[in-house]
Amino acid sequence: MRILGIDPGLAIVGFGFVDKEANKLKPVQYGCIQTEAHTPEEERLLHVYEGMVQLIDKYKPDTVAIEKLFFSRNVSTALPVAQARGVIILAAVQRGLPVAEYTPMQVKQAVVGYGKAEKHQVQEMIKMLLKLSVIPKPDDVADALAVAVCHAHSYSLNSKLNEVLRK
């Protein structure tokens, strides 16, 4: 199963493609889509959408996992990030892909084992779990890979639970 993990944003969208085979996770491709700060918002959203469509068409994921919005301090960025999430989800749904959403706490719990883990702990675990030589930069990329890993773990747990319930 190929998972596309997304850390949404308007300025930077982190993405990470991870293959899950049995109990093994393998990074396929990761990086970010960036938009220019002084560009009209609608052009930035179009750039995010087109970039996402190109990535989906090229790497052909089976599913998409995206981080849910959580704003405790900087509420002014909530609307642009929500709009970026919308065009990302649209790109996935137009390609017939299922979309799963995870809170930052769920991602941290799945990757580190502690829902209030620090960012650097998540980054170190991503480096270790995916056998990377360095922590992906910018942070949004490591976060996107963490979302993909979270979905891989959640998918496995849900599959096992469904098996047990069927018996």
Side-chain angles (χ1 to χ4, degrees):
M1 171 174 64
R2 179 162 291 171
I3 303 163
L4 168 55
I6 301 287
D7 180 32
L10 185 60
I12 301 174
V13 176
F15 68 85
F17 290 88
V18 174
D19 282 350
K20 181 182 186 326
E21 297 168 10
N23 288 330
K24 295 187 181 188
L25 297 174
K26 178 182 162 197
V28 175
Q29 182 62 274
Y30 50 89
C32 62
I33 299 168
Q34 294 183 295
T35 66
E36 294 295 323
H38 300 292
T39 305
E41 197 167 285
E42 60 274 13
E43 288 179 31
R44 295 174 85 181
L45 290 169
L46 179 62
H47 182 73
V48 168
Y49 172 79
E50 289 174 340
M52 195 54 53
V53 166
Q54 288 174 358
L55 288 168
I56 290 170
D57 288 349
K58 182 173 183 178
Y59 294 102
K60 305 198 180 323
D62 299 301
T63 187
V64 175
I66 189 167
E67 191 171 76
K68 283 185 180 180
L69 291 181
F70 175 76
F71 291 92
S72 61
R73 281 173 246 158
N74 196 355
V75 179
S76 65
T77 60
L79 187 57
V81 174
Q83 291 173 322
R85 275 182 94 252
V87 300
I88 292 164
I89 292 169
L90 174 64
V93 171
Q94 283 183 328
R95 295 298 190 271
L97 298 172
V99 178
E101 299 178 90
Y102 298 96
T103 65
M105 188 174 274
Q106 288 173 307
V107 173
K108 291 174 183 179
Q109 179 69 41
V111 174
V112 180
Y114 176 59
K116 294 184 179 182
E118 299 290 326
K119 189 176 260 312
H120 70 91
Q121 292 172 301
V122 175
Q123 293 171 345
E124 285 295 333
M125 283 301 292
I126 287 302
K127 178 182 167 193
M128 187 178 81
L129 289 169
L130 297 178
K131 297 175 178 62
L132 302 173
S133 57
V134 296
I135 293 171
K137 295 290 180 195
D139 292 350
D140 312 77
V141 178
D143 292 346
L145 288 167
V147 174
V149 169
C150 173
H151 185 69
H153 292 326
S154 298
Y155 183 83
S156 294
L157 289 174
N158 288 335
S159 295
K160 288 176 187 170
L161 179 61
N162 287 335
E163 276 181 40
V164 170
L165 293 175
R166 274 188 243 126
K167 291 180 181 178

